[in-house]
Amino acid sequence: MMISTKGRYALRFLVDVAEHQGDGFVPLKDVAVRQEISEKYLEIVVKELVKGGLLTALRGKGGGYRLNRAPEEYNVKSILELMEEPLAPVACLESGQNVCPRSNGCRTLPLWQGLDKVISDYLAQFTLVDLCEKTQAAP
């Protein structure tokens, strides 16, 4: 599993909005400048965040983006799942996939299930608030 730029930029965008939305809606161009990300690429990312219900958009003067919920209600796992789907380390663990005919006797399946759980649990413990903090220590 490798997190794409789309997933990484989504996190950076949401953290930036969480840090700056106290002044109202946050313009995309301001985030693009602060984060040094192409506006065109951010437009693609933000469209998915709005469609996924994480952001509200307002057009026109004074427009931009706001979080739909408090920053502590956004966990990293759910954001990355929205942007990356799936996060499973191997194809046989992807939800909606047919069960592998070898799963009952597969010697490696428990290894992949354990890795999937570790990744899932690790990402689920972080929220936007955690990412907004300047100095964070890994648990």
Side-chain angles (χ1 to χ4, degrees):
M1 169 193 74
M2 181 177 286
I3 305 299
S4 70
T5 55
K6 190 165 63 166
R8 294 190 330 263
Y9 288 179
L11 283 174
R12 287 171 55 190
F13 186 88
L14 290 170
V15 168
D16 194 289
V17 170
E19 292 176 331
H20 293 94
Q21 73 177 4
D23 301 329
F25 283 83
V26 180
L28 183 132
K29 67 179 180 175
D30 292 356
V31 177
V33 168
R34 284 190 295 267
Q35 296 297 320
E36 299 176 346
I37 301 172
S38 155
E39 279 186 57
K40 293 277 187 200
Y41 194 75
L42 269 184
E43 288 170 359
I44 295 166
V45 170
V46 169
K47 183 177 181 181
E48 290 188 42
L49 294 171
V50 170
K51 184 178 175 185
L54 301 182
L55 292 172
T56 297
L58 179 66
R59 293 183 179 265
K61 185 176 172 124
Y65 298 91
R66 287 187 62 81
L67 301 178
N68 283 336
R69 301 183 309 271
E72 59 272 10
E73 294 180 35
Y74 289 77
N75 77 51
V76 169
K77 178 185 177 220
S78 62
I79 296 165
L80 291 177
E81 285 175 338
L82 173 68
M83 301 306 291
E84 300 291 336
E85 42 179 329
L87 290 177
V90 291
C92 63
L93 294 179
E94 292 175 10
S95 62
Q97 295 292 321
N98 293 331
V99 175
C100 175
R102 296 183 34 81
S103 64
N104 286 338
C106 181
R107 298 268 206 252
T108 61
L109 183 59
L111 170 80
W112 302 128
Q113 289 169 327
L115 178 60
D116 187 47
K117 180 170 177 19
V118 168
I119 292 168
S120 179
D121 291 349
Y122 182 78
L123 293 175
Q125 70 183 333
F126 292 99
T127 67
L128 290 182
V129 169
D130 298 318
L131 299 179
C132 288
E133 293 176 2
K134 300 294 184 221
T135 57
Q136 58 177 315

